[in-house]
């Protein structure tokens, strides 16, 4: 009789421990923290979602620059310096997007979803008013605004992944691989805008032509 009671108590204690473990496992799942089986590829959902958004922004910027490159390549416009500059910029943005896809895959994440390539294919060069009589100046200012937009998005990604979720590896990758290039690109564009603006004040057509030959 005593043995039966003893084994009954042991069984109840064992069942209680199992129930506590199940509840703890459920709480871990609800709080979006890694389990023992998928810890190697853990990335917080909000960080992963923002990374997907950044991939989209990089490819969107590539399309944006490609459209301007195609505009300046037309025989009616024929500014080969601007053409080369914007096509190179498009290639760089595409490369950035590919790097982020490769990084996401390395971390075991899905780098794209159904919204990743919802890109803007509207031609920016077809709907802008030339500044100081120059679409080239408008294009440079639009490029600077686009770079600022991308840089801001990278900073937001860093903030989400570092301050909220301590994903230091991704933060280090973004800071070292992307931010310096972004700042250098913005400085280069700002300088080009200033120089072209000065040339356009005296002779817009000649100034644009000379700038294309010597500074692009």
């Amino acid at each position: 009789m005593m043995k039966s009671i003893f084994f009954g108590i042991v069984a109840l204690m064992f069942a209680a421990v199992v129930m506590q473990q199940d509840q703890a496992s459920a709480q871990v799942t609800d709080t979006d923290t890694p389990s023992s089986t998928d810890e190697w590829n853990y990335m917080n959902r909000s960080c992963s979602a923002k990374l997907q958004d950044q991939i989209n922004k990089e490819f969107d910027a590539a399309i944006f620059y490609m459209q301007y490159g195609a505009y300046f390549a037309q025989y009616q416009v024929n500014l080969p310096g601007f053409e080369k500059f914007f096509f190179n910029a498009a290639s760089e943005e595409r490369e950035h997007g590919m790097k982020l896809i490769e990084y996401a895959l390395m971390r075991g994440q899905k780098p794209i979803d159904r919204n990743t390539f919802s890109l803007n294919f509207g031609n920016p060069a077809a709907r802008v008013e030339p500044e100081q009589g120059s679409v080239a100046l408008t294009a440079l200012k639009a490029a600077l605004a686009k770079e600022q937009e991308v840089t801001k998005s990278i900073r937001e990604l860093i903030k989400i992944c570092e301050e909220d979720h301590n994903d230091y590896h991704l933060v280090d990758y973004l800071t070292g691989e992307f931010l310096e290039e972004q700042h250098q690109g913005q400085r280069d564009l700002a300088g080009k805008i200033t120089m072209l603006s000065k040339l356009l004040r005296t002779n817009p057509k000649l100034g644009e032509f000379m700038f294309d030959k010597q500074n692009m």
Side-chain angles (χ1 to χ4, degrees):
M1 181 68 178
M2 294 297 294
K3 286 184 178 181
S4 298
I5 294 174
F6 173 75
F7 285 119
I9 293 172
V10 171
L12 288 172
M13 292 175 64
F14 179 76
V17 170
V18 171
M19 289 177 64
Q20 289 178 349
Q21 290 177 341
D22 290 341
Q23 291 175 352
S25 298
Q27 290 175 353
V28 167
T29 302
D30 291 340
T31 55
D32 190 31
T33 54
S35 68
S36 59
T37 58
D38 63 1
E39 188 171 359
W40 76 270
N41 66 343
Y42 172 69
M43 182 182 289
N44 185 273
R45 289 194 187 102
S46 59
C47 184
S48 179
K50 185 61 179 174
L51 178 59
Q52 289 178 338
D53 179 66
Q54 186 61 38
I55 291 170
N56 191 70
K57 286 188 180 298
E58 299 291 346
F59 283 107
D60 186 73
I63 294 294
F64 179 85
Y65 292 134
M66 193 179 299
Q67 290 167 334
Y68 267 117
Y71 171 81
F72 289 113
Q74 296 176 94
Y75 76 90
Q76 301 97 326
V77 182
N78 196 32
L79 290 174
F82 280 91
E83 171 194 345
K84 181 180 179 181
F85 175 83
F86 279 102
F87 278 143
N88 286 343
S91 297
E92 289 177 4
E93 297 301 330
R94 176 184 173 278
E95 182 181 351
H96 291 169
M98 291 303 300
K99 284 182 177 180
L100 291 178
I101 287 176
E102 290 169 359
Y103 180 87
L105 291 172
M106 180 191 71
R107 293 287 301 273
Q109 302 298 306
K110 293 180 179 179
I112 60 175
D113 62 12
R114 62 183 180 180
N115 298 318
T116 301
F117 294 110
S118 56
L119 306 176
N120 178 15
F121 289 95
N123 187 353
R127 60 176 185 269
V128 296
E129 292 294 330
E131 294 195 33
Q132 296 179 231
S134 171
V135 174
L137 180 60
T138 303
L140 290 177
K141 289 186 176 182
L144 179 56
K146 177 62 70 174
E147 287 301 302
Q148 289 174 310
E149 176 188 332
V150 173
T151 301
K152 180 182 178 182
S153 180
I154 293 173
R155 289 183 176 278
E156 290 172 352
L157 174 58
I158 290 173
K159 183 178 185 299
I160 290 173
C161 297
E162 179 182 26
E163 295 184 7
D164 298 341
H165 305 297
N166 299 328
D167 197 326
Y168 298 119
H169 187 268
L170 175 56
V171 169
D172 181 68
Y173 178 69
L174 292 170
T175 303
E177 189 76 18
F178 286 84
L179 274 186
E180 183 174 357
E181 185 175 337
Q182 288 297 124
H183 291 308
Q184 288 176 346
Q186 289 174 193
R187 171 60 182 84
D188 180 60
L189 283 166
K192 282 180 166 56
I193 289 169
T194 299
M195 185 177 295
L196 179 56
S197 297
K198 291 178 180 178
L199 291 172
L200 292 174
R201 289 173 192 155
T202 54
N203 190 322
K205 294 299 181 183
L206 180 60
E208 188 177 76
F209 175 80
M210 294 301 297
F211 187 86
D212 179 76
K213 295 296 182 185
Q214 298 179 5
N215 300 102
M216 296 301 290

